[in-house]
Amino acid sequence: MYLTSRLPRLYVRTAQFLGTSTSRFKSNAPAVEERIEIPNRVQRSPTDILNALASTVGRDPTAPHYKYHDDPYLIPMSNVGKRTFAMSQEAGRKAAKYIRDEHRDVFMHQEAQPPIEAFAPKMIFTEDSEVNTDTLHLLIRNSQVTDAVIVYNLLKQKGVEISNDSKQEILELICFYNNEEPLPEELIEERWFKANADARERNRKTWKDGELAEQLFQELEPKTARSYAAIIRGMSKYFQAERAYALLQEATEKQFELDTQTFNAVISVSNFLKETADQRWELCRDLLQQMAHQQLRPNLGTLNAALEVVSTFGNFKLARSSALKVLAEFKQLGIEPSLGTYYYLLIIFCRDRAPVSHIIVDILHELKGREFTIQHPKDTFFFATAMDVCRNHLHDKTLARNVDELLHTGNNYDLIGDTYKEAVYYRHFFALLCQTEPIDEFMKVYDLLVPNVYIPEPGIMEEILKAVEMNGAVELMPRFWSDMVIFDHTNRESLLTRTLQILIDNPPNNDLPAHQSLPEQVGKIALDIYQKIADPEGRRPKDLQFSGKMIGDILALLVRSGNFEKANEVFTHIDKNQHRIPGTPSENCLQEYVNACIENKAPTQAIVCLQYAVENNMDAQPIAESINAGFTLNEVHLSKVKSLVGEHLVGK
């Protein structure tokens, strides 16, 4: 208020001062009228300020996702933990809602003005409830399917007249959700989890035949194009393809003008109507011609629906030629492809049993530097599929880098999809980089993304270990073993075997500074593996058992690290359980253990090792010679050695 009241005075004084100042100078220049132009108002959304602030910060790959508590003890470090933490947080919200609905008498107060409907307990409808058409409209608007059906039945029982418009609205609601209560929008993780589960059953018909949707459709008189569109779309969405197509033909015969979205829905399920590729393509063309006859303009959904049908063709030549025809036709219509369109092109051209295609090169050239927004549900499938093509179809790291650059352009990362698709994307990216990049370059990506953005699965961790083995980078093994423990990968026998193999085949080089502390670290890794497998039955995984080679490698690594006490413990386990352990340690491992016995002056353990070698039909001569040369044996030890290998192998 103070500034508002002062502004007119300041303006007057400023004008008087300027007038006094300019009057001192005589000028013949004509007076110029100054006009203040107020710019047009720019419409802003409620989150524009937050978006502007977020653009100054950028994405931090070293920080955990915002859905996890920023606490070291509450940040998940495995893929199972990530899903468990996220789902448990939503389970807590569901538990709170359950308590609110079960004890509604405690939560009837309204502190907010105006009241917030989402915080209020949910209404419960019974046969005695007083309802009207306004109640029905409110429930339809809030997408409360179960309650809307209950209220609709109550209105019918009470003889309340329900208009055709109301019947049409509830028909559209039931067809969209297939007469099932949808998950709340705030339960993001559960919705993603359910969507992935539904995707695995995408070929199964889930439409509920003979229920309220079909009853409503039969009751609607006179039927309209809108009622036909609702039932056709619902049946197509839940794969009741034959009846959807029959209703489409019925509506066409009755000269109803259906909309483009309805034709798109039927086109997308054409592969369920015909068996062969030629028949599917012919049906798709017929539907497009019907659209043209009704003067309906195709849109992006039509393009992607047609490509979805083409992607089901078993004949790759017909699929490729048909896809190019569709793309050229829609380009003439001025329809711009979305990322979902390019996703369909990739799965059409880059098949496992088809000739190699480099169409992704042209796609990336077309998309380079562009920022996209979601236009079609399949848009979120593009990046994971493109990285899959780079890895498995072309094995090209340069293209993979280009895909990753496109993903991080602008807000394109929003189109990577849910957590599962993000993991699939980085799974292919890591597998390709560790096979093609030098280990130092790969570690830069690894350090940037692991563990907050991506946690390698056991299969990818094995690929990483292969890269370490190929590059001889044994100094990285303590880091990777620590990560495997955190990621809960230590119950995989293949990973343990490869880890031990790398440590055995690449002994530390004491001349290198990075290898100075490596022998001790290697010994700790070997001991950790031994303790995890030798745990009591209740603590270790049931499928994880020692093999002869595995426990032999552990023995050799403990010997090399100078931990002779634990090496004795491991060999005692080998000797006592030799009938349970499949296979035997290698002769080199036993020889290293005997040499350690000689250094530590332990002839009894060395002779036990010799006895083990003899009992398992191994070449015991080198071990016997080492024992004879390294020890001054007493009569008892000497007679034991002679009984095992014979007098001719023991010098006097």
Side-chain angles (χ1 to χ4, degrees), residues 259-294:
D259 58 358
T260 302
Q261 298 296 339
T262 305
F263 276 94
N264 294 349
V266 178
I267 291 173
S268 64
V269 294
S270 298
N271 55 307
F272 295 96
L273 298 170
K274 301 296 181 180
E275 293 293 333
T276 65
D278 293 329
Q279 292 174 342
R280 293 173 184 175
W281 180 235
E282 190 63 30
L283 176 60
C284 186
R285 292 177 60 184
D286 290 342
L287 292 171
L288 291 173
Q289 288 174 0
Q290 289 184 35
M291 291 178 63
H293 181 71
Q294 296 186 21

Side-chain angles (χ1 to χ4, degrees), residues 303-475:
L303 169 60
N304 288 343
L307 290 177
E308 182 178 0
V309 175
V310 173
S311 67
T312 64
F313 293 177
N315 186 340
F316 71 88
K317 292 183 179 179
L318 177 62
R320 290 183 176 185
S321 61
S322 302
L324 293 178
K325 290 177 183 177
V326 170
L327 202 62
E329 185 74 20
F330 279 80
K331 186 176 182 180
Q332 291 181 358
L333 296 174
I335 297 175
E336 186 72 17
S338 69
L339 289 181
T341 308
Y342 295 116
Y343 156 73
Y344 283 120
L345 290 177
L346 289 178
I347 63 176
I348 290 170
F349 281 83
C350 304
R351 299 183 180 182
D352 293 336
R353 295 180 177 86
V356 174
S357 172
H358 293 81
I359 191 173
I360 191 174
V361 178
D362 300 326
I363 292 175
L364 293 177
H365 179 73
E366 179 71 20
L367 302 181
K368 185 176 181 181
R370 292 173 57 184
E371 186 175 353
F372 296 89
T373 56
I374 186 74
Q375 300 180 63
H376 189 269
K378 292 296 183 180
D379 287 355
T380 58
F381 287 71
F382 170 76
F383 286 106
T385 305
M387 193 58 70
D388 184 10
V389 170
C390 294
R391 174 195 174 188
N392 297 315
H393 192 71
L394 297 176
H395 201 70
D396 191 325
K397 68 176 182 180
T398 304
L399 288 177
R401 292 282 190 181
N402 293 340
V403 172
D404 194 60
E405 181 183 355
L406 178 64
L407 175 65
H408 291 87
T409 299
N411 294 321
N412 287 346
Y413 203 92
D414 295 340
L415 298 176
I416 198 172
D418 55 28
T419 307
Y420 174 75
K421 294 186 185 66
E422 183 182 39
V424 170
Y425 173 86
Y426 283 112
R427 179 192 309 163
H428 295 310
F429 191 40
F430 268 54
L432 181 58
L433 290 184
C434 69
Q435 293 170 1
T436 56
E437 289 277 23
I439 193 66
D440 294 338
E441 293 297 322
F442 170 75
M443 287 306 297
K444 293 179 182 178
V445 179
Y446 186 92
D447 293 336
L448 181 67
L449 299 176
V450 176
N452 291 314
V453 175
Y454 172 65
I455 294 177
E457 297 87 351
I460 300 303
M461 185 59 72
E462 189 167 1
E463 293 293 331
I464 294 173
L465 293 181
K466 290 179 182 178
V468 171
E469 184 177 16
M470 183 174 60
N471 289 272
V474 68
E475 67 276 4

Side-chain angles (χ1 to χ4, degrees), residues 36-49:
I36 299 176
E37 294 185 2
I38 300 176
N40 295 329
R41 180 176 181 272
V42 179
Q43 187 68 27
R44 302 290 185 187
S45 70
T47 58
D48 278 353
I49 295 178

Side-chain angles (χ1 to χ4, degrees), residues 79 153 174 262 335 515 519:
N79 288 320
N153 291 329
I174 294 174
T262 305
I335 297 175
H515 289 200

Side-chain angles (χ1 to χ4, degrees), residues 510-566:
N510 294 326
D511 295 335
L512 298 176
H515 289 200
Q516 294 298 322
S517 60
L518 198 55
E520 182 181 358
Q521 294 174 335
V522 168
K524 290 181 179 179
I525 294 174
L527 183 60
D528 197 10
I529 295 175
Y530 171 75
Q531 291 174 344
K532 287 182 181 299
I533 303 179
D535 268 349
E537 290 290 335
R539 298 178 58 187
R540 63 175 171 79
K542 294 181 180 180
D543 297 334
L544 191 58
Q545 302 286 345
F546 280 121
S547 65
K549 184 179 186 311
M550 182 188 299
I551 200 166
D553 291 342
I554 293 173
L555 177 66
L557 292 174
L558 289 173
V559 167
R560 293 178 186 179
S561 65
N563 195 343
F564 183 67
E565 180 181 354
K566 289 296 181 181

